[in-house]
Amino acid sequence: MDGMAKTSTTTQGLRAAIERSGYYPALVAEAVEAAVGGEPIRSYLVHQETTFDQNEVRRHVTVLVLTDNRFIVSHTDEQAADSTSPTPYATTSTESVKLDRISSVVVSRVVANPESYTPGTLPREVVLTIGWGAVSRIDLEPAACGDANCEADHGYTGSSTADDLSLRVSEAGDGPETVRQALVFAQAISEATADPAR
């Protein structure tokens, strides 16, 4: 009974967060609820971002949902009328990832005045990066040896990094509650991907 009550509360909290974002809430909620299906929601994060593109203001909302078995990512973008559409439109996409596919969860915290940091103080900003192998970035550069006069071709050296999702929230831009929710979600997904019994 407690699990069912918590699930209902979490689902209501997600709907309320989507409503608060003020960004096409009916459209966003429908897409997220369809992706979640009947699974209980363990944790969620709703992040609305506004960008300025020349003379246009564009909004984007990302909704992250953690269930017992999956990590669901939903993105919704608005577009101005263009050659493909005479009226403004929005595009919503959802991706469902099995938890055992998540290979990394990186949480970066930015804190002010670290010399006087008190445990439990909210960071100024949080960057959450989650990788599951759908998108990778490869950075290459010419390889060299220690001989400054060497003209041989040593090939290339580089690194490959997972770049599936990176989300930045800040206290100044998003408010302390969004930063707090980002930390709660980051902890929940870190624990879920570390749990061998999932």
Side-chain angles (χ1 to χ4, degrees):
M1 186 73 161
D2 289 340
M4 289 179 69
K6 182 178 187 285
T7 298
S8 176
T9 302
T10 305
T11 301
Q12 290 171 356
L14 172 58
R15 284 188 191 133
I18 290 171
E19 289 283 337
R20 272 193 310 277
S21 80
Y23 183 78
Y24 307 122
L27 174 66
V28 173
E30 181 180 56
V32 170
E33 288 170 8
V36 171
E39 284 189 75
I41 296 171
R42 291 171 65 172
S43 189
Y44 63 86
L45 175 62
V46 177
H47 181 250
Q48 196 264 333
E49 182 179 11
T50 303
T51 57
F52 300 94
D53 182 16
Q54 295 176 356
N55 295 332
E56 295 180 15
V57 176
R58 293 184 188 255
R59 295 181 298 166
H60 174 92
V61 70
T62 301
V63 180
L64 309 180
V65 177
L66 178 64
T67 71
D68 289 337
N69 302 303
R70 298 180 299 147
F71 167 56
I72 296 162
V73 183
S74 174
H75 295 287
T76 304
D77 292 286
E78 66 181 353
Q79 305 292 330
D82 58 24
S83 61
T84 64
S85 175
T87 59
Y89 61 98
T91 304
T92 299
S93 64
T94 56
E95 182 173 3
S96 175
V97 181
K98 289 185 177 182
L99 287 180
D100 61 6
R101 288 203 39 225
I102 294 177
S103 55
S104 68
V105 176
V106 180
V107 182
S108 301
R109 302 166 189 239
V110 177
V111 297
N113 303 314
E115 69 281 354
S116 60
Y117 176 76
T118 304
T121 302
L122 209 56
R124 189 169 61 192
E125 71 179 57
V126 172
V127 179
L128 175 61
T129 305
I130 302 171
W132 58 91
V135 178
S136 293
R137 183 180 70 241
I138 298 176
D139 295 317
L140 294 175
E141 61 185 37
C145 68
D147 183 356
N149 297 320
C150 180
E151 295 181 9
D153 183 355
H154 295 286
Y156 289 87
T157 184
S159 62
S160 174
T161 54
D163 203 17
D164 296 307
L165 174 79
S166 188
L167 189 72
R168 176 186 170 271
V169 297
S170 70
E171 188 174 22
D174 304 297
E177 188 51 41
T178 303
V179 173
R180 189 173 291 107
Q181 187 64 33
L183 291 171
V184 168
F185 185 85
Q187 182 173 349
I189 197 164
S190 292
E191 290 172 355
T193 55
D195 181 5
R198 304 189 263 271

